[in-house]
Amino acid sequence: MYPGIDFIAQGLALSSVDKAGYDQVIDHVVAAAQKLADRGARAVSLMGMSLRFYRGPECPAAMAALMRASTVLPCATTCLS
């Protein structure tokens, strides 16, 4: 679909789609973004609608800002550019 563009992923190992599962992984989002940057990513997108919103409507922007500060790459969530 996108010739010449490679997509790489870094899982968070979400064990359950509920508050307990999200609590286990949310603090690892920035480290996962950094791993992607270390692997050559040129932009990072946090996927997973419910993970981004479980801490409230300000969470998507805050997560994108933290990833951007850590990686110095364009970063977004799937609902925030």
Side-chain angles (χ1 to χ4, degrees):
M1 183 170 174
Y2 298 100
I5 297 176
D6 294 326
F7 289 86
I8 56 177
Q10 179 65 48
L12 293 171
L14 182 64
S15 62
S16 60
V17 185
D18 58 17
K19 185 179 182 324
Y22 300 147
D23 283 342
Q24 291 174 350
V25 300
I26 194 72
D27 293 329
H28 302 286
V29 168
V30 173
Q34 187 60 57
K35 286 180 183 179
L36 289 168
D38 293 346
R39 292 170 55 198
R42 296 177 58 196
V44 177
S45 179
L46 174 61
M47 309 300 277
M49 187 71 74
S50 57
L51 173 61
R52 292 187 319 277
F53 282 112
Y54 96 104
R55 284 194 175 166
E58 70 287 345
C59 189
M63 294 309 301
L66 289 171
M67 292 186 306
R68 196 174 304 116
S70 173
T71 65
V72 194
L73 294 172
C75 293
T77 69
T78 53
C79 65
L80 173 74
S81 56

